[in-house]
Amino acid sequence: MFKRFLYIVIYTIFICAVSIGCTVAYYQYIVLNSDAAPLVRVEDKKVARSPLKNSDVFVEIMSYGCHFCAINDKAVDELEKRLPEGVRVVRLHINNAGQSGLARYAPLFATLEVMGLESQYREKIYTAVIKDNIDLADDTVLNNWLEHNGIDVGKYHEINASPAVKALLQYMSAVSNYYDVSATPAFIVNKQWLAYQDRDFKAFGDQLISLLTRHKPLGI
């Protein structure tokens, strides 16, 4: 009995160590050693020309192929509850030609968003892409996945070809390129701040909320 308890304790410690190690590795090799600074203040003259809508003051740029977007997804939902009244988290999928690996699922995101299904299926998509290595950017594979998950395949492709999806893809591309988003998840606050996570999410969330109270460009 004692040995079994000891094995459980050791296994738990091992899992915690791996989790911490992955987080540290992310900060060190993805954030700190990338070309992206953890926090960038955008110049006022550039903010004035930002493609972001005035209502989109708290934006997460994510990707279905991003492991840390998946890990933080629930934490972002919790963070939204702490935002000032009237402010919501707007999720946009990265759609940057220079980040083709991360951007390849942008059409899937845009289509499900227009269909009103994106939040409902987001966790399943993360699991399919990241854990199960299912290439949902391949139409044949995607059709099978849609059917398996009860999504009308014909309706999906009808909406996928619609002006609304094209407009959303253009919007996500404009934002991704204008802010030169080089990694995900990235957060844009008040059009003025581009932030990449460089600490545990609770502390990082506190920082993002504090940015909401700093200088706000005209028009916001």
Side-chain angles (χ1 to χ4, degrees):
M1 183 69 180
F2 176 76
K3 285 186 177 181
R4 182 180 179 185
F5 175 75
L6 184 60
Y7 289 150
I8 293 174
V9 171
I10 293 174
Y11 178 76
T12 302
I13 294 173
F14 172 75
I15 294 299
C16 291
V18 170
S19 177
I20 293 170
C22 288
T23 303
V24 171
Y26 170 72
Y27 294 152
Q28 181 174 354
Y29 296 108
I30 303 300
V31 176
L32 300 181
N33 286 345
S34 73
D35 294 331
L39 181 63
V40 177
R41 186 183 188 279
V42 179
E43 296 179 359
D44 285 349
K45 61 182 181 181
K46 187 172 181 179
V47 170
R49 301 191 298 270
S50 171
L52 279 171
K53 302 170 185 175
N54 283 343
S55 59
D56 291 353
V57 300
F58 199 100
V59 178
E60 179 192 11
I61 305 294
M62 44 73 75
S63 169
Y64 287 142
C66 167
H67 178 69
F68 284 91
C69 297
I71 289 176
N72 287 337
D73 189 56
K74 292 292 192 298
V76 174
D77 288 340
E78 289 301 313
L79 175 63
E80 184 171 37
K81 298 175 183 178
R82 301 170 54 206
L83 298 180
E85 184 178 356
V87 178
R88 64 188 181 95
V89 174
V90 175
R91 286 181 172 89
L92 299 176
H93 198 288
I94 188 170
N95 195 22
N96 184 323
Q99 299 287 335
S100 57
L102 290 172
R104 61 189 282 104
Y105 303 107
L108 172 60
F109 173 93
T111 305
L112 292 180
E113 181 69 19
V114 172
M115 294 177 75
L117 300 175
E118 197 282 323
S119 61
Q120 178 182 341
Y121 286 93
R122 188 185 308 134
E123 186 174 356
K124 290 184 178 181
I125 296 172
Y126 278 136
T127 298
V129 172
I130 297 172
K131 183 179 178 181
D132 299 334
N133 295 314
I134 298 174
D135 184 8
L136 295 182
D138 180 288
D139 276 349
T140 301
V141 175
L142 174 62
N143 288 344
N144 290 333
W145 185 88
L146 292 172
E147 185 174 1
H148 178 75
N149 284 277
I151 300 174
D152 188 306
V153 176
K155 185 66 174 179
Y156 173 89
H157 288 288
E158 178 186 342
I159 299 299
N160 178 257
S162 69
V165 168
K166 288 182 172 62
L168 181 52
L169 284 169
Q170 290 173 355
Y171 182 56
M172 296 191 301
S173 179
V175 173
S176 299
N177 284 290
Y178 195 79
Y179 285 90
D180 194 23
V181 178
S182 59
T184 56
F187 293 82
I188 304 171
V189 181
N190 282 341
K191 300 184 183 180
Q192 184 89 64
W193 305 94
L194 175 65
Y196 296 96
Q197 186 180 351
D198 60 348
R199 66 200 75 180
D200 71 88
F201 196 85
K202 173 62 168 63
F204 179 64
D206 290 343
Q207 179 193 40
L208 293 177
I209 291 174
S210 74
L211 295 176
L212 280 170
T213 64
R214 299 193 190 184
H215 168 64
K216 297 183 180 180
L218 294 176
I220 296 182

